[in-house]
């Protein structure tokens, strides 16, 4: 014996020759889950904004990683010898002796000593101009450039300097490289964390939107159940519609982020000859991301769209189980 129709469906059935019009969602050529409504447009805008923010975080992390790698490569290819003045020794002779020892070291491409005037100019940004450095023990610097493919051991050079040039110290900038690595890894970690938060926010927005769509289309769901549609069919319909909505919003957000990146790169290149452009280029390079950065932005957009569809499907199934 079959169960009697539900009261809501009984009202929708024809009685005494009177027919009620079908809901708009069941009219011909109308989708089960309308996404062109005000709520659907608002959700698409939210997804676009969140995707834009996630793409900017990912692009910024990739930019910092590339700049940090460039900084570390440049610093690792240079070694500095500092020679402090000694009243009992000629500093010029010590500089010549240190340069000769450096050029004999394996893996060294070039060793160049700074003159007294050049060493004093290095102090001007901190001490100002117009000072008399004759009474100050200004150290002399020697910059050593290492070959691109060389990884020399500077312990023999350190020992030679300690033996033949008292007061000379060699700095291989390992501390600076370590600090740059730590800074870059921290920024990348923060970027990944922010991207994760944005994706979680997008998933929560989809959950609320899906539950709202289910509540507003409850009568349609009851009719589908009455004619034999199962929960999988209804969940697939919601997943398909929300996936398209998420893909549209994610494409808009990712496209806006890429356009902004290209615009900033163009502005940076136009300011390259100015002091501001030099400072920006020193910090961020040419302010352009690599192909891997573009690929990450596209993957984020696809992931947001897939998350939108999957979360909507899971939300529909849970809603139907709770109200079944």
């Amino acid at each position: 014996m079959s169960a009697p129709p539900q009261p809501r469906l009984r009202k929708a059935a024809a009685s005494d020759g009177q027919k009620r019009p079908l809901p708009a969602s069941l009219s011909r050529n109308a989708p089960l889950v309308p996404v062109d409504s005000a709520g659907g447009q608002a959700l698409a805008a939210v997804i676009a904004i969140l995707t834009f923010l996630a793409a900017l975080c990912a692009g910024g992390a990739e930019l910092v990683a590339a700049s940090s790698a460039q900084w570390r490569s440049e610093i690792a290819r240079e070694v500095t010898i500092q020679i402090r003045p000694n009243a009992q020794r000629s500093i010029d002779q010590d500089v010549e002796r240190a340069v000769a020892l450096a050029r004999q070291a394996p893996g060294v491409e070039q060793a160049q000593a700074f003159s007294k005037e050049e060493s004093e100019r290095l102090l001007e940004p901190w001490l100002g101009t117009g000072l008399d450095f004759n009474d100050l023990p200004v150290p002399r610097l020697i910059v050593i450039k290492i070959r691109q493919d060389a990884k020399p051991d500077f312990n023999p050079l350190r020992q030679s300097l300690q033996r033949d040039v008292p007061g000379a110290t060699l700095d291989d900038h390992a501390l600076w490289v370590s600090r740059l690595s730590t800074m870059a890894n921290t920024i990348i970690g923060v970027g990944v964390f922010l991207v994760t938060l944005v994706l979680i926010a997008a998933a929560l927005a989809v959950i609320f939107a899906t539950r709202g769509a289910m509540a507003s289309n409850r009568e349609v769901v009851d009719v589908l159940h009455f004619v034999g549609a199962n929960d999988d069919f209804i969940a697939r319909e919601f997943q398909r519609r929300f996936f398209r909505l998420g893909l549209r919003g994610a494409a808009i957000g990712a496209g806006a982020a890429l356009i902004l990146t290209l615009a900033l790169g163009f502005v940076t290149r136009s300011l390259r000859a100015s002091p501001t452009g030099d400072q920006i280029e020193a910090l961020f390079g040419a302010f352009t991301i690599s192909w891997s950065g573009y690929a990450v932005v596209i993957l984020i957009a696809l992931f947001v769209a897939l998350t939108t569809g999957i979360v909507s499907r899971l939300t529909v199934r849970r809603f139907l189980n709770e109200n079944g």
Side-chain angles (χ1 to χ4, degrees), residues 6 21 27-28 41 64 71 141-142 169 180 186 194 213 249-250 253 260 268 288 293 306:
Q6 299 180 6
S27 61
R28 191 171 186 179
Q41 297 295 335
V64 170
W71 296 339
L141 297 178
I142 301 172
T169 57
L180 283 175
T186 302
L194 292 177
L260 179 61
T268 302
T288 56
L306 290 174

Side-chain angles (χ1 to χ4, degrees), residues 26-261:
L26 292 181
S27 61
R28 191 171 186 179
N29 297 327
L32 170 62
V33 186
V35 295
D36 294 331
S37 60
Q41 297 295 335
L43 180 60
V46 170
I47 292 176
I49 294 173
L50 293 177
T51 306
F52 175 77
L53 296 177
L56 285 185
C57 291
E62 198 274 339
L63 183 65
V64 170
S67 299
S68 175
Q70 181 180 0
W71 296 339
R72 284 178 290 174
S73 176
E74 293 177 355
I75 292 176
R77 290 191 64 236
E78 286 190 356
V79 177
T80 304
I81 297 176
Q82 178 178 286
I83 302 176
R84 293 184 296 272
N86 190 333
Q88 286 76 31
R89 298 178 62 89
S90 172
I91 191 171
D92 292 329
Q93 293 180 359
D94 286 343
V95 169
E96 293 178 0
R97 189 175 296 108
V99 170
L101 292 174
R103 290 174 178 173
Q104 295 174 3
V108 173
E109 178 181 351
Q110 181 183 2
Q112 180 180 1
F114 282 21
S115 64
K116 182 175 181 298
E117 291 76 14
E118 290 172 340
S119 300
E120 292 175 352
R121 281 199 297 270
L122 293 176
L123 299 176
E124 290 182 355
W126 287 270
L127 301 180
T129 59
L131 296 178
D132 187 7
F133 292 98
N134 292 325
D135 297 331
L136 294 178
V138 178
R140 299 284 294 275
L141 297 178
I142 301 172
V143 177
I144 302 173
K145 292 187 179 296
I146 306 170
R147 289 198 300 267
Q148 185 71 32
D149 56 346
K151 294 182 179 179
D153 182 12
F154 290 103
N155 288 327
L157 179 58
R158 282 194 178 95
Q159 296 175 1
S160 300
L161 291 174
Q162 292 176 359
R163 182 181 64 252
D164 299 334
V165 187
T169 57
L170 186 144
D171 184 7
D172 57 1
H173 305 158
L175 179 61
W176 285 100
V177 173
S178 176
R179 289 178 178 177
L180 283 175
S181 300
T182 302
M183 180 193 70
N185 293 332
T186 302
I187 295 177
I188 293 172
V190 172
V192 173
F193 178 72
L194 292 177
V195 171
T196 304
L197 287 182
V198 170
L199 295 177
I200 293 174
L204 293 176
V206 172
I207 290 174
F208 287 114
T210 304
R211 296 186 71 89
M214 287 293 297
S216 61
N217 291 275
R218 181 62 181 170
E219 186 177 17
V220 178
V221 174
D222 290 339
V223 171
L224 290 174
H225 278 157
F226 180 71
V227 299
N230 55 21
D231 291 348
D232 287 336
F233 172 79
I234 299 173
R236 283 197 304 270
E237 287 295 321
F238 274 86
Q239 179 181 0
R240 186 180 300 111
R241 292 292 173 176
F242 274 91
F243 173 76
R244 294 178 181 176
L245 186 146
L247 185 61
R248 182 177 61 188
I252 294 174
L258 293 177
I259 291 174
L260 179 61
T261 302

